Amino acid sequence: MQISLNINGEDHKVDVDLRRSLLDVLRHDLALTGTKKGCDHGQCGACTILLDGRRINSCLSLAVMHDGATITTIEGIGTAEDLHPLQRAFVAQDGYQCGYCTPGQIMSALAMLTEAEEGWPSYISESLEAEPDLTDDEIAERMSGNLCRCSAYPRIRQSIAEARAQMRAAK
Amino acid sequence: MMAKDQATMDVTLTMDTAQPRRLDQMVQGVLGGAMARPEGPLKVRGAATYAAEHAVADLAEGVLVRATITKGKVKAIDEAAALKLPGVIAVLTGGPLLRNPAQGQASEAPEQVLPEVHYFGQPIAVVVADSFENARHAAQTLRVTYTEAKAEVDPETASTVERPKKSQIETGDFDAGFQAGAHQIDALYHTEPHTSAAMEPHASIARWDQGRLELWGSYQMLKHNVAELADAMGLPESKVRIHAPYVGGGFGGKLGIAPEAVAAAHAAREIGRPVRVVMARQQVFDMTLRRTETAQRLRLACDATGKITALAHEDRVSNLPGESYSEPVAQGTHFLYGGADRRFTHEVARVHRPAAGSVRAPGEAVGMIALECAVDELAEAAGIDPVELRLRNLPKTAPKGDLPFSENALGRCLKEGAARFGWDKRGTTASRRDGDWWVGLGVAAAVRTNVLEESIARVTLEPDGSATVATDMTDIGTGTYAILSQIAAEMLGLRPDQVTVKLGDSDLPKSSGSGGSFGAQSCGSAVFLACQGLRAALAKRLGTTEEELTLKDGTATSGNRRVPLADVLDSGLSATGHIKPGDTEDDFAIAGYGAHFAEVRVHAFTGEVRVARMLGIFSIGRVLNRLTAESQCHGGMIWGIGSALSEELQHDRRDGRIVNHDLAGYHVPCHLDVPQLDAVLLEDTRDDQANPIQAKGIGELGISGAAAAIGNAIFNACGVRVRDFPATPDKIFPHLPFDDWG
Ligand code: FES
Ligand code: FES
């Protein structure tokens, strides 16, 4: 079946097997291999992308469910010459080791920061109404769907905090 | 670009004696600092290509099929039905398919036993189709029949138990010495099996071109992997090339060639078309090497002053029949504690669980959980502070073999760590409470044996004055790209961004590969030696000596003569460095040392444990890159949190299969399990006996002892002594002091 996807601002028409995940469409059909497959089961977060602005595990969604969707992947947020503040911070803070979970961490962080801006509380937030205070623990809770077996967690969160400060200052 | 004086430029060093600290005399000032990884911008854009991602034309997809019996024979596979399914190209069974991955540094094919089946989950076939979905569907519906045999799967009751001679050690009279002690501890510890679970699943793309096999794989040690793959496929090594420019984590799980590589190579040869095989996450659990479970009996006795006088560390591990590897559980003990009367026994039970092999810090990672908790028990029995007890037991020479230490800063790490962590605030057992949480502190020593491996690297000074480093070494997240560019830049007086590092191609000079924490020091030494060769050649061209030559910022200076480097290079210079281990490893006990401190909170009613703070302080000789070295420490310490609190493979008692074979069932630590950590590296230590760059391994030291610090903190917090790890709530809450239920 043919579907259309807008990915990183570009329109694509893809003939997809009904069983094909959104993740495999990106990786196999469109050669967008920046989005990673760590488990294919929604258990690791390596495949995180933005679907219509929200983060999802692309391995858990069939491509045919998303005809007409707008998608952002790691390839769409910065370039070699002009990295996104999150990407810059991960490099500067050593917010990774092997780098395999990294695109997922960054895409997840990007959406997480938006969620916080919009006032979403997390499981550990003190108040459901107050503007979330993104402490290290709050970031940790909100990022716990992204596993990192290299265990770069402390510096992933430092990278996110640094990028957030820069993004706010730039506003 | 071979220069005429090539022979004199190549440098080989066998590590027979202590080496001068030449790097300390260099002036570029880029080594040791917190330099960001050069490949970082690729990784954060998703532009670094991992094994499954290489663009190879006309790829077919292979999916592995696993055995669903524990032991017996594959009787028949109904290929005809599978071949009728859409897109299916071939169903391949038998032939070279591997039973399990090769052990680290095996350099020969592992067991190839089909049609026999030796464990539940063993690969028995590969189905190849035009798409992943078609291959997966056919693999899942493949009809397989078996003849089943009875299999033993429980290490405790296994009828075949081997006792390797070299691991049964008795010194003095242990029984008498133990009896005579002023204080004694006799405790039985257990640790559950672990798995590496690198985030990148095992993946290979195989392509044949005129009888030569090219493989893009996720592997740690290419020279060994080439030998293993060639042996498995019946090829000379010259006909195999492996690429692994980026590896999405290894931790021992990608040391040896694994079933998916041979399946891809076999299938590609059979169908005459490139084939990609990626293990599903569950298959990574089922058919790659696990860390064995351990049962460990620790007996320690000390005199009235806390000095350990007798020590026994006895263990049982398991493995599949036919695997020569067994977890060296007591390895760290030999480096840590003296006592005249000693006993070590080591048993390997043969069971039909998935094969066991190296997982981060084989030996120390589990052996030191038991040892360092038992030492805490001894301190408690003797009424001596656990830091103090360890300080009273610092050996002057290595207990095993009475060898002098090359460098050992354990005492310094314990003292400095205690001061930084606020150890003096540690209260008596179960004395600190914060709301519903007990709070406590724990300590453990860290030690990890240090190994140098033969390694070769080529460094080329290009005509424009930039440099290229080439070696088949891999970067599995450890920072190889960064540290090799720093070493070359330091030696040659360049900015690190003027050094291009080429890794992960088996056609390049053969290195140690990544494993056993020997990668950085081994291939780093090779790069150092190659640069020394280049420096000597440059000195000759400038009419001076290597010692007199100063290289900085692209300029060569000798006496009052200054020349831009590019002016003396002509068509460029190339040298090879070759390091080999030598006598120092027999003459000295060489190991990394450190100490772990943990603060935990134990929930007073549920027994849930949270790590609140953790500090690791380590002495690893020269620090090559502070940033990447600290990241390695973090990784190790967090693996310590995992093995202390949550990681356990669960085997079905009936058939040995791994029941929790995914990341929802096997709990690696996640963000919220991990606080900000304090990783401290002693920066002024050098190990002159280890290698010519005086650096030791760090990737495994950080896990060694870490879980014990947490176990000991649990005891200090609530008085529950956990001896079965991981310390899940069910092992804690039945024993909690409940007098404050109110
Ligand atoms: S690959 Fe999608 S969550 Fe793991
Ligand atoms: S950086 Fe390797 S898994 Fe996160």
Side-chain angles (χ1 to χ4, degrees):
Chain A
M1 172 181 162
Q2 196 181 65
I3 60 168
S4 332
L5 298 169
N6 182 283
I7 303 172
N8 303 327
E10 247 179 72
D11 287 323
H12 296 268
K13 286 208 188 315
V14 203
D15 253 320
V16 293
D17 186 312
L18 300 185
R19 299 163 295 181
R20 182 153 288 199
S21 68
L22 196 48
L23 173 61
D24 283 340
V25 165
L26 295 172
R27 284 173 67 83
H28 292 184
D29 295 300
L30 303 171
L32 291 169
T33 54
T35 307
K36 305 302 180 195
K37 184 187 285 191
C39 69
D40 223 7
H41 260 62
Q43 298 168 346
C44 77
C47 63
T48 306
I49 59 164
L50 305 190
L51 175 75
D52 299 324
R54 298 289 182 210
R55 52 178 167 171
I56 66 157
N57 289 334
S58 60
C59 70
L60 275 191
S61 208
L62 294 172
V64 286
M65 295 158 64
H66 299 291
D67 189 22
T70 302
I71 286 166
T72 310
T73 70
I74 190 73
E75 289 92 347
I77 65 165
T79 62
E81 296 71 38
D82 187 17
L83 293 177
H84 186 279
L86 275 164
Q87 294 172 314
R88 269 207 305 278
F90 270 70
V91 175
Q93 302 285 333
D94 214 40
Y96 49 41
Q97 290 172 35
C98 76
Y100 197 77
C101 74
T102 311
Q105 301 277 358
I106 291 175
M107 296 311 289
S108 191
L110 185 59
M112 182 274 288
L113 292 176
T114 309
E115 292 160 13
E117 290 291 323
E118 292 175 358
W120 293 21
S122 82
Y123 178 69
I124 64 165
S125 301
E126 293 283 337
S127 155
L128 296 184
E129 273 107 47
E131 193 194 325
D133 177 13
L134 282 193
T135 59
D136 190 57
D137 267 0
E138 272 281 359
I139 298 178
E141 163 60 22
R142 290 162 190 260
M143 290 297 296
S144 278
N146 289 84
L147 298 180
C148 174
R149 185 53 159 167
C150 295
S151 302
Y153 297 123
R155 284 176 164 167
I156 291 173
R157 301 207 295 275
Q158 286 166 17
S159 307
I160 295 171
E162 181 189 290
R164 177 170 185 251
Q166 282 180 8
M167 287 158 73
R168 292 189 135 195
K171 255 190 200 158
Chain B
M1 73 201 69
M2 283 289 247
K4 281 198 216 78
D5 44 0
Q6 187 65 41
T8 58
M9 279 201 294
D10 293 343
V11 180
T12 299
L13 174 73
T14 303
M15 200 57 206
D16 286 331
T17 53
Q19 292 299 304
R21 300 174 183 178
R22 193 74 182 108
L23 275 167
D24 286 322
Q25 292 154 354
M26 298 294 130
V27 294
Q28 187 65 24
V30 294
L31 192 62
M35 188 190 89
R37 298 171 201 248
E39 81 284 13
L42 290 176
K43 286 179 174 171
V44 296
R45 289 191 295 118
T49 33
Y50 298 83
E53 299 167 356
H54 292 275
V56 174
D58 195 31
L59 261 187
E61 301 282 350
V63 168
L64 289 165
V65 181
R66 64 172 196 156
T68 53
I69 61 162
T70 302
K71 193 170 173 229
K73 260 192 177 131
V74 175
K75 202 158 45 177
I77 291 184
D78 188 353
E79 293 171 20
L83 287 168
K84 283 196 200 104
L85 292 168
V88 175
I89 301 167
V91 178
L92 301 164
T93 183
L97 293 189
L98 304 182
R99 181 181 76 170
N100 50 259
Q103 298 286 349
Q105 302 174 305
S107 273
E108 61 181 17
E111 302 266 351
Q112 296 160 298
V113 301
L114 285 170
E116 280 181 37
V117 172
H118 292 178
Y119 65 93
F120 197 110
Q122 177 189 315
I124 53 169
V126 57
V127 177
V128 191
D130 59 348
S131 77
F132 170 61
E133 289 78 5
N134 282 336
R136 182 181 59 190
H137 180 69
Q140 281 170 349
T141 50
L142 200 64
R143 279 196 297 267
V144 183
T145 46
Y146 302 95
T147 3
E148 260 191 273
K150 268 192 89 63
E152 288 189 311
V153 297
D154 184 352
E156 240 172 83
T157 56
S159 56
T160 308
V161 176
E162 292 161 16
R163 294 175 181 82
K165 251 220 172 77
K166 69 172 187 0
S167 313
Q168 323 298 321
I169 303 168
E170 178 102 24
T171 329
D173 182 345
F174 174 74
D175 291 322
F178 183 66
Q179 288 306 325
H183 305 282
Q184 290 114 338
I185 288 297
D186 182 353
L188 196 56
Y189 280 82
H190 287 99
T191 62
E192 296 297 334
H194 301 145
T195 190
S196 293
M199 289 315 303
E200 180 202 18
H202 291 60
S204 288
I205 295 175
R207 179 173 73 189
W208 291 84
D209 187 13
Q210 297 174 5
R212 192 169 194 228
L213 169 62
E214 201 165 7
L215 188 110
W216 289 264
S218 190
Y219 286 102
Q220 298 180 223
M221 320 183 91
L222 301 194
K223 75 176 172 198
H224 299 292
N225 304 138
V226 163
E228 291 148 6
L229 183 55
D231 188 24
M233 299 302 297
L235 297 167
E237 289 179 30
S238 60
K239 294 279 184 206
V240 175
R241 181 178 184 185
I242 300 180
H243 302 270
Y246 297 99
V247 178
F251 319 112
K254 295 167 180 171
L255 289 176
I257 212 76
E260 97 295 338
V262 172
H266 178 45
R269 182 160 64 183
E270 292 299 315
I271 71 167
R273 187 178 157 181
V275 173
R276 166 167 56 200
V277 179
V278 183
M279 285 191 195
R281 175 54 62 186
Q282 293 80 354
Q283 294 175 329
V284 178
F285 276 84
D286 288 341
M287 52 181 86
T288 69
L289 302 178
R290 68 189 177 105
R291 186 203 304 283
T292 176
E293 68 293 321
T294 70
Q296 304 179 52
R297 184 179 183 194
L298 265 296
R299 278 177 289 172
L300 300 173
C302 67
D303 64 18
T305 69
K307 189 116 183 89
I308 294 172
T309 48
L311 179 159
H313 195 166
E314 301 176 274
D315 66 80
R316 176 176 286 199
V317 300
S318 75
N319 211 337
L320 257 185
E323 291 299 312
S324 59
Y325 173 87
S326 69
E327 180 98 10
V329 175
Q331 191 162 255
T333 311
H334 298 302
F335 282 87
L336 272 180
Y337 298 107
D341 301 311
R342 310 164 71 76
R343 176 178 297 161
F344 293 88
T345 64
H346 175 60
E347 298 180 335
V348 189
R350 292 297 169 189
V351 291
H352 291 269
R353 293 179 169 189
S358 295
V359 177
R360 197 173 198 158
E364 284 88 335
V366 280
M368 289 189 63
I369 297 180
L371 174 69
E372 286 299 282
C373 286
V375 168
D376 203 67
E377 293 197 54
L378 186 68
E380 179 76 13
I384 299 172
D385 176 89
V387 171
E388 179 56 31
L389 182 105
R390 286 179 173 85
L391 289 172
R392 289 185 195 175
N393 279 290
L394 294 177
K396 292 197 179 55
T397 56
K400 187 181 183 182
D402 200 25
L403 291 175
F405 290 111
S406 57
E407 186 266 342
N408 176 350
L410 174 58
R412 206 178 134 196
C413 288
L414 282 164
K415 283 187 220 154
E416 215 174 303
R420 284 173 182 257
F421 197 65
W423 183 252
D424 54 346
K425 309 225 168 45
R426 176 176 179 265
T428 52
T429 310
S431 64
R432 244 177 97 190
R433 190 65 185 261
D434 177 11
D436 287 344
W437 298 83
W438 295 104
V439 183
L441 305 187
V443 66
V447 66
R448 172 69 184 162
T449 177
N450 193 75
V451 181
L452 178 70
E453 292 285 343
E454 182 173 10
S455 219
I456 307 174
R458 185 171 61 239
V459 181
T460 305
L461 271 168
E462 311 289 351
D464 67 355
S466 67
T468 307
V469 172
T471 160
D472 77 349
M473 181 63 188
T474 49
D475 188 332
I476 60 173
T478 38
T480 317
Y481 283 106
I483 59 144
L484 295 189
S485 70
Q486 285 172 288
I487 292 169
E490 190 65 50
M491 290 294 287
L492 301 174
L494 300 172
R495 294 190 315 272
D497 66 3
Q498 290 173 291
V499 181
T500 305
V501 179
K502 290 190 185 152
L503 303 177
D505 177 349
S506 65
D507 278 2
L508 298 176
K510 296 186 193 323
S511 74
S512 59
S514 300
S517 296
F518 48 63
Q521 56 183 302
S522 302
C523 77
S525 292
V527 168
F528 165 85
L529 294 174
C531 291
Q532 278 217 314
L534 290 174
R535 290 175 55 89
L538 286 170
K540 201 164 164 202
R541 287 189 180 186
L542 289 164
T544 181
T545 62
E546 194 269 332
E547 291 75 21
E548 293 294 311
L549 178 72
T550 304
L551 296 175
K552 186 168 192 315
D553 298 331
T555 304
T557 310
S558 160
N560 48 18
R561 193 164 161 219
R562 285 169 60 87
V563 202
L565 197 53
D567 289 3
V568 283
L569 286 172
D570 303 335
S571 60
L573 282 173
S574 188
T576 295
H578 189 166
I579 184 79
K580 296 180 192 172
D583 294 341
T584 60
E585 69 177 22
D586 301 322
D587 299 343
F588 293 87
I590 307 179
Y593 283 91
H596 292 281
F597 294 84
E599 176 177 321
V600 304
R601 299 161 68 81
V602 182
H603 196 272
F605 309 120
T606 66
E608 178 187 358
V609 179
R610 312 291 305 166
V611 176
R613 285 196 302 138
M614 209 169 166
L615 177 143
I617 177 165
F618 308 103
S619 169
I620 52 161
R622 186 189 304 278
V623 175
L624 302 172
N625 179 323
R626 193 163 53 74
L627 203 57
T628 57
E630 286 172 0
S631 289
Q632 286 293 296
C633 298
H634 288 173
M637 290 162 73
I638 295 168
W639 276 55
I641 296 176
S643 55
L645 300 180
S646 63
E647 289 188 41
E648 57 178 318
L649 288 177
Q650 290 161 338
H651 295 274
D652 190 308
R653 282 164 192 245
R654 295 160 302 179
D655 56 24
R657 87 173 82 176
I658 296 169
V659 180
N660 56 339
H661 63 169
D662 61 29
L663 294 167
Y666 183 87
H667 296 155
V668 307
C670 73
H671 270 287
L672 200 60
D673 296 326
V674 179
Q676 288 296 328
L677 303 173
D678 211 349
V680 183
L681 294 164
L682 300 186
E683 302 243 0
D684 53 351
T685 57
R686 301 281 182 270
D687 195 323
D688 301 328
Q689 311 292 348
N691 50 61
I693 61 174
Q694 292 89 29
K696 291 187 281 199
I698 181 62
E700 298 174 312
L701 182 59
I703 183 179
S704 304
I710 294 168
N712 295 337
I714 293 172
F715 178 77
N716 179 244
C718 64
V720 179
R721 175 59 71 185
V722 178
R723 296 193 185 92
D724 291 341
F725 285 86
T728 43
D730 54 300
K731 296 174 189 156
I732 297 174
F733 89 85
H735 312 291
L736 282 168
F738 274 145
D739 45 351
D740 61 345
W741 274 83

